[in-house]
Each structure stands twice: as C-alpha cells, then as structure tokens.
Amino acid sequence: MDPSDVLIEAFDRLPAIASAAVDGLSVDDLAWRADPEANTIAWLVWHTARGQDVQIADLAASDQVWTADGWADRLALPFDHAEMGYGQSPAEVGEVRAEGHLLVAYLEAVTLRTRGYLEGLDAASYTDVVDDAWDPPVTAGSRLVSILGDCTQHLGQASFVRGLFDRR
C-alpha cells in the first residue's frame, strides 16, 4: 500500500461511523445535548464533513462540495455558507438541525471527493509545503493526517453522545 491507499482506507470508514451515530434518530434526537453547552450529534457529524470539505478543497484547489454540489441549500442551516463550525458558540451548535441521512450523505459526498484527491497524489506530493506559517512548515501529508485525526475525534464524540442518548 502507498500513502494514498492507507488514507483512502481510513477516510472511507468515516461515513459508516457517522451512519451508526445517527441511525434511527429524529431531527430532535440528533439535536439532544448531554449538557446545555455540549455538542450535538448533528453538529458533530456536520462539522466533521465541513472540516474535511474545507481543508481538502484547499489542498486540491477545488470548490467545496458544500456549495458546489448544493449541500448548503439542502441542509439549509442558518449560517453563512462559509461557516464550518470552528469556534461556534453553544447557541450556534444548537442551530444545526438536520435529518441524519442528509448529514451522512454530505459526509459521503465529501469523502468521495477526498478519495478522488488522494487517488491523484503521488508519493512526492505528500512532502509539498501547504502552509509555511508554521515551524516546521506544514506538508500535504501532515495536513491530511490532521484532517483525518479531527474527523475521527469528532465522530468518536458523536458515537459517545449517541451512547449517552441511548442510556438516558
């Protein structure tokens, strides 16, 4: 396996994790909070997809799936289309209300685009510097690992919240 194969395998697993977290839940259930300021399953799945979408689009120098493929309109969240969830207040987190199948479908679309990007990378591309504002500068490879880490952490949180919801 080359680096792209490993990353494709990892990214391809994300939608199934999200699907298990939302399975059988209503829009209200997906907006349930373990605490008044806690993240919801809906926000965690949406933010996972948005974070991946924004960062892969930047790496690929392409449009975001969110706007290019109409997901912003389909999910109709009350935010500017550029919003990705980073730094949102608890009140804004609570405004992410959507059906689970749509949240997962958006993540699937983003993952498909991520797969296409990764399939086009050769081994040398992983060492390309994509952000020189850091010391050491950020390479494409380290950015991809960071994106994957964020995605797995947020979906792990969504799975945890689902467990809390089921046991309440």
Side-chain angles (χ1 to χ4, degrees), residues 3-67:
S4 291
D5 293 333
V6 172
L7 288 168
I8 288 168
E9 176 70 25
F11 278 102
D12 279 354
R13 293 176 184 212
L14 299 176
I17 298 167
S19 184
V22 307
D23 186 49
L25 298 182
S26 70
V27 171
D28 288 338
D29 295 342
L30 292 169
W32 177 82
R33 291 177 133 153
D35 174 270
E37 295 191 7
N39 292 331
T40 67
I41 295 170
W43 184 87
L44 287 160
V45 174
W46 170 75
H47 176 64
T48 297
R50 283 296 291 135
Q52 184 184 158
D53 193 4
V54 168
Q55 293 187 80
I56 296 294
D58 183 56
L59 287 172
S62 67
D63 292 332
Q64 295 174 23
V65 172
W66 180 244
T67 49

Side-chain angles (χ1 to χ4, degrees), residues 21 24 27 49 62 85 88 113-114 120 138 145 160 165:
V27 171
S62 67
Q88 283 191 310
R113 197 273 316 274
T114 298
V138 178
V145 169
F160 178 76
F165 177 83

Side-chain angles (χ1 to χ4, degrees), residues 27 30 42 45-47 49-50 53 65-66 69-79 81 95-107 110:
V27 171
L30 292 169
V45 174
W46 170 75
H47 176 64
R50 283 296 291 135
D53 193 4
V65 172
W66 180 244
D69 293 355
W71 287 101
D73 293 331
R74 269 180 251 169
L75 287 167
L77 300 179
F79 312 126
H81 286 348
E95 293 177 5
V96 176
R97 296 185 55 83
E99 294 183 30
H101 72 92
L102 289 175
L103 294 166
V104 173
Y106 171 48
L107 179 59
V110 170

Side-chain angles (χ1 to χ4, degrees), residues 1-12 56 114-115 117-128 139-145 148:
M1 293 181 101
D2 66 25
S4 291
D5 293 333
V6 172
L7 288 168
I8 288 168
E9 176 70 25
F11 278 102
D12 279 354
I56 296 294
T114 298
R115 171 186 268 277
Y117 169 70
L118 292 168
E119 288 172 342
L121 289 183
D122 59 21
S125 298
Y126 287 91
T127 61
D128 291 346
T139 63
S142 62
R143 175 64 48 85
L144 286 161
V145 169
L148 181 60

